[in-house]
Amino acid sequence: MKKLGKALIIAAFVILFILTYITADRLLCLKTEKGIRQAREIYAQPENTIDVAFLGTSHIHCNVNTALLYEGLGMASYDYSAAEQPLWITYYYLQELCKTQHPKLVVLDVFAPARFSEDYQYNFLLENLDGVRFSPNKVRMILASCEPGRIKDFFPSMVTYHDRYKELTDEDLAFLNMSVDERASYKGYTPFFEVGSQTRPDIQVSESGGLSAKSEEYLRKIMEYCEENGIELNFLVTPYIMNEEQVMVYNRIREIADENALLFLDANMAADEMGLNYETDFCDYSHLNYMGSCKFTAYLGNLLKSRYDIPDRRGQEGWESWDRHVKEFNAYIEEIIRQMQEAAGS
Amino acid sequence: MTLTLFSAGYAAAAFILFHILPRRIRIPFLCAASLLYVYVLDRTAFIFLIVTIPVFYLTGRAVTSLKEHGADKKAKTAAAVCIAFSLLILAALKFLPFFAGMRAEGTTDPLITKLFVPLGFSFYLFQAVSYLAEMVRGSIGQPRFMEFVLYLSWFPKFISGPIEKPDAFIGQLREISAAGHKQETYYTEALFGILYGVFLKIVIADRFGMYADTIFESPQAFSSAWILLGILMYTLQIYCDFAGYSAAAVGFSLLFGIRLSENFRTPYLSSNINDFWRRWHISLSTWLRDYLYIPLGGNRKGTARRILNTMIVFIVCGLWHGAGAGFLIWGILHGVYSALDYLIRTCPAKWLQFLRNGIAGRILTFIAVSFAWIFFRCGTLQGSSQLLYYLFTAGPRWHSFPYEMEALGINQVEYSVMAGLVLLLLACDIPAFIKDRSFPQLLSKAPLTVKCLAVYLLLTGLIILGIYGTAYTGGRLIYMQF
C-alpha cells in the first residue's frame, strides 16, 4: 500500500506537470498571423472539408481572400501559408495538411524559390514552425530547415516563446478559452489595408535558370506527393513587383510544370484583365492590399472554377465554419472601414 | 563541466554506460570519459592536461621514492620545483598578456596578448599542488595512475572545481569499484543538486546578470538607485552562478557515487567576514589556508604577522582571479575586512561584537562583500572609479526610476519576478543555513510530496523563467574565465 501511495503521488505530480506545460504552452505561444495562426488553426478545421489549399508564402495569406472565394463561388479553401516559406517547409506542410484533409486542388505559390536562393532561411523560420504540432513530420521539417547547430534555437517551440509571460495580452488569455468552432472559422486570410503606390514592371526575359538545387528537389517532391495522393496541383505567381532574376526562376519552374502537364499561372500577366491598379491596389512592392486582393481573388477563383471540378459548398452540412468565416470577416471589414472613415473625418 | 545540453547529454550517456559496464572497468571508463569530455570541450586544455598529468604523477612518485630512501629534503625540493614551475606557467599565462596589452596600447597587439589560460587549468593545477604537498607531508599514499588522472580530469568538476583534496576524492574511487557499493542512494540528492544548480544559474544568475551588465557598462546612464540595484544584482549573480554550477557539479558527480566537496554554504547569511570565507568558494579558501596561509606561519607568529599573512593570502586570491587592478583591490579589501574582523573579535570592548554577530553583523558583512564585488566585476580601477563616482553623485532620481527600468527592459511583471526570486533564494538559503546542509541535501531528505512539489516547481520555473533561447546571448559561467 505504501508503494502504491508513493506511486500515486508521483503520478499526480507528473500529470500536474504535463497539464501545466500544456496550459503554459497555450498561454505563452505566439499568435501572429504571419504563419503561426494559419498553421495552428488547420487542426481546428473539420476533417476533409478543405477542397482547395493555397500553400506558400505571405503572397498567399495576404492576397487570397478565402471569404470571397466561399461567398462568391462556394469554394472551401484555406490559406495554409507562412512568411517567406521555402519549398522544403511547404513539402512538409502539405503532408501535415493531408493528415486531416484531402484537398482536390493544391495551389502552390512559387515566390519563395524565386526570391531566395539560400539553403537555410531563418528570417521567418519561427513563423513557419511554431504553429505546427510536434510529430515525426515536424521533426523532418526542422531537420530540413535548420543547420544542426541552430536546431536548439527553434526546438522545442517553447524555447522561442517561454519568456512571453512578461508581455501577455488579452488575446493570449482569450486564446486559452477559444472554442474549436471559433478557431475553425479562421481560414488563414489576413489582408493589409495600407496603400503603397507601385510602378508596373515591364520585364521581357526568356532565359530560365537560378532555381536552387534544394528548391527544385522539394518542388519535385511536392509534385510527386500530389500525384501519389490524387491531388491536382498548379503553380501560382501572385501580382507583385518582380525583377529579371526572379522571372528567370519562374521560367524554369514553368518548364518543369510543362514537363509534367501542370498549370503555371503568372497572375502578373493578367493584371489588366483583373483590373489591377498599381497605384491603389498594392500595400508594398510584394503584397496586394485588401482591394487588390479582392480583384486578384475574383480572377483566380473564376479561373480555378473553370478548370477544376471544385464543388460549391454553400449551404452544405459540415461546411458551417466557412459560413461563420464569411460573416465574421465581413463584420471585420465593416469595422475597418468605419475606423478608416472616422480617421479620415477627424 | 559547462551547464549546457551537450554536457547534460554527455553525463547521461556516461551514467548509462557506467552502470552497464563491469565494476572493474569503471575507473578506466570514467578516465576515458573525462579525458574525452575535455578534448571535445577544448583541445588546448586537453593538450595541457595530458602533458601535465604525467609530469605531476611522476613527480609524486619521485617524492614517494625519495622519502622511502630517507631523502626528505630532496623530496621536498622535487615537489617545490614542480609546484613553482607550474605556478610560474599559470602566472605567465594570466599576467603576461595583460601587461603586454598595457604596453602595446595604441599599437598592434603583440602575439603574447593572445596567450590565455586553458580551460580548467588553474583549478586542476591547484589540485596537483595539493597532491604534491600531501605527498611530501606523507598524508596520502601513492595513488594508481588512473586514479590520479581521474582526480585531475573528473569531468563534472573540470573547468571550475571544486578543488578537491586528493585523499577524499581518491578514496571514493576505490569504493565505487567495490562490490556492494550502492550509488543509487545518492540519486535523489543528485537529481536535486542538478535541478537546483541549473535553476540558480539559468533562472536567477543569468537574469540578474543581463541587467547588471547593462548598468556596469553604462553607469552614467543610470541614477544612484539603479546603480545600487545593479551592484546588488551582480552580488546575486555571482553567487547563483558559481553556487549553481557547484551544486550541479556535485549532483552530476553523485550520479557516479562520487561526492564532491560543498563549495558554498549560504555565504550571504554570514555574520562576519571570517564566517563568510568559511562559506564562500570553500575549496579555494581551504586550499589557500592549507598551502599558503599555514606555510607562511598562519596565526602562530603574533598579530602583526597574522594580519600580514592574511593580506598576502587575499592578494594572491585576488590576483588568481585576474590581472587587473580591480581584482587586486578586491583582494586587498577582503584582507582589510579580515584584519578588522580579527581586531574586533579580540578587542577588549565586548560591545563591539555586535558588528560581527546577529542581524547587524549579517547586514554589515553583506554590504562589505557587495562593495568589494564592485571592483571584482569592473576588473579595472578606471571602471570601478567611474561606477563609484556615479553611484555617489548621480542622485536617486526617483522620478526617472520607472523610465530607467523601462530602458533596462524590465516591466512590472519582470520586476515582480525578480523580487520573487530573491525571496525564493532566501527561502532556500535560510533552512539550509539553519540545518547546516545544502538545499539539495535537505530536499533529498524531505517527504515525498515535498520532493515532488520541488521537482515540479524547479522544472516549471526553469522552462518558463529560464534565460535561454535566441533572444538571449551569453549564459557563460563566470568562474570559467578564472
Side-chain angles (χ1 to χ4, degrees):
Chain A
M1 274 306 285
K2 219 176 173 181
K3 271 191 175 171
L4 179 64
K6 282 186 175 178
L8 283 173
I9 290 173
I10 293 172
F13 273 98
V14 169
I15 292 168
L16 177 64
F17 177 74
I18 292 170
L19 287 174
T20 304
Y21 187 92
I22 291 171
T23 308
D25 189 69
R26 276 184 71 96
L27 182 66
L28 300 171
C29 68
L30 293 160
K31 284 121 184 133
T32 70
E33 292 189 79
K34 294 179 187 171
I36 293 177
R37 198 175 171 198
Q38 283 82 355
R40 184 174 292 135
E41 307 308 11
I42 203 70
Y43 303 107
Q45 304 302 312
E47 280 194 23
N48 295 319
T49 55
I50 297 174
D51 291 322
V52 180
F54 294 94
L55 268 56
T57 69
S58 57
H59 284 203
I60 291 297
H61 58 255
C62 293
N63 297 348
V64 179
N65 186 336
T66 48
L68 190 65
L69 286 173
Y70 187 77
E71 190 177 24
L73 299 166
M75 195 181 291
S77 66
Y78 193 95
D79 289 346
Y80 192 38
S81 54
E84 296 188 8
Q85 184 175 95
L87 288 179
W88 44 92
I89 292 187
T90 306
Y91 172 64
Y92 293 106
Y93 261 51
L94 177 60
Q95 292 181 74
E96 195 70 13
L97 173 75
C98 292
K99 285 180 183 177
T100 55
Q101 303 291 333
H102 191 80
K104 291 167 179 44
L105 170 67
V106 162
V107 179
L108 175 62
D109 155 48
V110 290
F111 170 67
R115 173 69 177 82
F116 309 104
S117 56
E118 298 83 10
D119 281 355
Y120 295 98
Q121 292 157 30
Y122 295 103
N123 278 351
F124 288 94
L125 187 55
L126 207 66
E127 278 76 2
N128 279 265
L129 296 178
D130 265 9
V132 181
R133 279 184 188 165
F134 180 70
S135 68
N137 188 47
K138 182 164 183 183
V139 172
R140 288 189 288 268
M141 187 189 303
I142 292 169
L143 291 174
S145 319
C146 273
E147 293 153 294
R150 294 218 46 186
I151 289 176
K152 63 172 171 42
D153 293 337
F154 298 97
F155 178 79
S157 305
M158 181 66 94
V159 169
T160 62
Y161 50 71
H162 69 96
D163 58 348
R164 287 194 67 244
Y165 62 87
K166 292 182 262 192
E167 55 195 53
L168 292 175
T169 63
D170 290 340
E171 188 193 355
D172 293 303
L173 295 168
F175 181 72
L176 263 185
N177 300 313
M178 216 183 260
S179 67
V180 175
D181 275 355
E182 283 171 317
R183 293 175 55 202
S185 58
Y186 179 82
K187 305 298 177 187
Y189 175 52
T190 50
F192 288 130
F193 294 93
E194 296 82 6
V195 177
S197 174
Q198 304 297 320
T199 306
R200 184 171 181 165
D202 180 21
I203 299 173
Q204 309 291 336
V205 171
S206 57
E207 291 87 6
S208 66
L211 180 65
S212 75
K214 189 174 179 182
S215 288
E216 182 165 342
E217 177 194 348
Y218 279 90
L219 185 71
R220 293 188 182 278
K221 281 185 174 184
I222 290 169
M223 287 160 53
E224 208 176 294
Y225 185 88
C226 287
E227 191 173 347
E228 283 169 5
N229 289 275
I231 301 171
E232 297 265 22
L233 172 68
N234 69 36
F235 302 127
L236 172 68
V237 181
T238 69
Y240 79 102
I241 315 305
M242 58 181 73
N243 62 32
E244 286 186 6
E245 288 77 23
Q246 290 162 13
V247 171
M248 283 176 63
V249 174
Y250 294 137
N251 290 342
R252 175 65 192 129
I253 296 175
R254 187 192 293 274
E255 285 170 4
I256 296 172
D258 290 344
E259 281 166 23
N260 295 273
L262 297 174
L263 173 67
F264 179 94
L265 172 63
D266 182 356
N268 290 277
M269 302 297 168
D272 292 329
E273 189 181 335
M274 66 181 82
L276 212 56
N277 183 330
Y278 280 75
E279 285 186 15
T280 60
D281 290 343
F282 278 83
C283 164
D284 54 42
Y285 85 95
S286 190
H287 303 95
L288 299 168
N289 57 26
Y290 174 67
M291 293 304 299
S293 71
C294 289
K295 292 177 185 175
F296 164 65
T297 303
Y299 164 78
L300 179 66
N302 286 317
L303 183 81
L304 295 177
K305 197 80 174 171
S306 67
R307 284 188 71 100
Y308 301 97
D309 180 22
I310 303 169
D312 184 338
R313 299 296 188 185
R314 286 172 292 191
Q316 284 192 24
E317 197 180 328
W319 273 265
E320 293 83 357
S321 65
W322 271 268
D323 293 312
R324 293 196 304 274
H325 170 54
V326 168
K327 199 172 162 188
E328 286 169 18
F329 188 78
N330 287 341
Y332 169 64
I333 290 299
E334 279 173 22
E335 176 60 25
I336 294 288
I337 292 171
R338 188 189 65 75
Q339 285 175 7
M340 284 169 118
Q341 284 170 346
E342 263 180 24
S346 58
Chain B
M1 59 189 279
T2 56
L3 293 186
T4 58
L5 283 173
F6 164 75
S7 293
Y10 190 90
F15 173 72
I16 291 167
L17 286 171
F18 177 79
H19 286 84
I20 292 172
L21 293 169
R23 284 180 181 271
R24 67 177 185 283
I25 64 167
R26 278 182 169 176
I27 303 298
F29 166 71
L30 291 181
C31 277
S34 295
L35 290 172
L36 178 62
Y37 180 79
V38 176
Y39 176 78
V40 170
L41 204 64
D42 186 301
R43 289 192 193 176
T44 311
F46 176 75
I47 291 168
F48 262 76
L49 197 57
I50 58 172
V51 165
T52 53
I53 284 175
V55 170
F56 289 125
Y57 186 72
L58 290 172
T59 305
R61 283 195 76 106
V63 165
T64 308
S65 177
L66 287 166
K67 282 174 71 76
E68 278 170 2
H69 289 91
D72 280 11
K73 219 174 174 181
K74 283 185 180 175
K76 257 191 191 170
T77 308
V81 166
C82 184
I83 290 170
F85 188 64
S86 313
L87 291 175
L88 208 62
I89 294 176
L90 177 64
L93 291 174
K94 265 194 187 286
F95 298 115
L96 277 180
F98 174 76
F99 289 114
M102 275 174 63
R103 290 188 65 177
E105 218 169 300
T107 65
T108 316
D109 277 350
L111 198 60
I112 208 164
T113 59
K114 307 282 188 284
L115 287 176
F116 59 92
V117 180
L119 219 54
F121 183 61
S122 55
F123 284 91
Y124 76 74
L125 179 60
F126 272 27
Q127 287 194 173
V129 168
S130 178
Y131 159 74
L132 288 173
E134 297 304 328
M135 290 295 283
V136 167
R137 289 175 184 174
S139 57
I140 57 167
Q142 179 70 48
R144 297 180 198 122
F145 182 65
M146 283 210 182
E147 291 170 344
F148 182 72
V149 170
L150 205 47
Y151 169 60
L152 287 197
S153 66
W154 180 224
F155 76 91
K157 67 164 177 61
F158 195 81
I159 292 180
S160 301
I163 303 166
E164 293 294 316
K165 285 283 186 74
D167 49 344
F169 185 86
I170 292 169
Q172 292 186 78
L173 296 181
R174 289 172 189 165
E175 283 177 26
I176 63 173
S177 305
H181 179 73
K182 290 192 183 308
Q183 59 273 351
E184 310 82 74
T185 52
Y186 302 129
Y187 287 169
T188 311
E189 191 185 334
L191 170 69
F192 283 120
I194 294 166
L195 269 179
Y196 183 64
V198 173
F199 184 90
L200 284 183
K201 163 71 180 147
I202 290 177
V203 176
I204 303 182
D206 287 352
R207 164 176 269 97
F208 284 113
M210 276 192 313
Y211 306 122
D213 281 350
T214 305
I215 295 170
F216 271 82
E217 277 153 29
S218 309
Q220 67 279 5
F222 295 94
S223 61
S224 300
W226 273 108
I227 294 174
L228 186 61
L229 281 173
I231 295 165
L232 291 174
M233 285 191 223
Y234 181 72
T235 299
L236 291 174
Q237 178 200 358
I238 192 166
Y239 170 50
C240 293
D241 190 280
F242 202 10
Y245 157 83
S246 298
V250 169
F252 279 115
S253 189
L254 273 176
L255 290 175
F256 303 90
I258 300 173
R259 180 174 289 283
L260 298 176
S261 49
E262 291 295 334
N263 229 357
F264 291 86
R265 284 172 52 228
T266 59
Y268 288 157
L269 296 177
S270 306
S271 50
N272 53 67
I273 206 69
N274 198 28
D275 192 25
F276 175 80
W277 280 104
R278 285 200 298 265
R279 295 173 177 277
W280 178 276
H281 202 174
I282 299 166
S283 64
L284 177 65
S285 53
T286 305
W287 190 96
L288 288 168
R289 180 198 66 196
D290 292 346
Y291 305 115
L292 184 59
Y293 182 70
I294 290 174
L296 282 174
N299 57 6
R300 289 173 279 123
K301 305 209 173 176
T303 301
R305 183 62 184 270
R306 177 197 181 116
I307 291 173
L308 176 66
N309 292 340
T310 303
M311 289 300 301
I312 291 171
V313 165
F314 278 111
I315 288 170
V316 166
C317 183
L319 292 176
W320 175 83
H321 285 90
F327 298 107
L328 178 62
I329 295 170
W330 174 81
I332 291 171
L333 273 174
H334 274 277
V336 170
Y337 293 158
S338 290
L340 281 172
D341 181 72
Y342 171 71
L343 292 171
I344 293 171
R345 181 158 62 87
T346 53
C347 178
K350 296 299 171 198
W351 64 271
L352 281 172
Q353 296 309 310
F354 84 95
L355 292 170
R356 58 185 314 278
N357 289 299
I359 301 284
R362 285 179 170 81
I363 292 172
L364 272 172
T365 305
F366 184 79
I367 291 171
V369 167
S370 301
F371 179 74
W373 283 136
I374 294 172
F375 301 90
F376 189 93
R377 170 60 180 79
C378 293
T380 63
L381 186 58
Q382 187 190 1
S384 317
S385 309
Q386 190 187 38
L387 188 106
L388 286 168
Y389 173 75
Y390 287 111
L391 174 66
F392 291 114
T393 61
R397 299 206 306 243
W398 297 117
H399 63 278
S400 70
F401 188 92
Y403 304 110
E404 289 173 33
M405 190 164 103
E406 203 183 315
L408 278 167
I410 303 173
N411 63 10
Q412 282 294 339
V413 174
E414 179 69 353
Y415 194 80
S416 304
V417 166
M418 289 162 74
L421 288 172
V422 172
L423 291 173
L424 181 68
L425 193 58
L426 272 172
C428 296
D429 270 9
I430 288 173
F433 176 83
I434 292 168
K435 298 279 185 186
D436 198 23
R437 289 272 182 278
S438 70
F439 191 67
Q441 280 177 324
L442 288 182
L443 282 177
S444 67
K445 301 284 180 234
L448 180 63
T449 313
V450 173
K451 280 182 189 153
C452 288
L453 184 63
V455 171
Y456 167 77
L457 290 173
L458 286 170
L459 270 179
T460 307
L462 261 170
I463 289 168
I464 296 175
L465 301 177
I467 303 298
Y468 62 92
T470 48
Y472 305 103
T473 54
R476 58 173 174 81
L477 292 165
I478 293 176
Y479 263 74
M480 249 173 87
Q481 61 189 307
F482 307 129

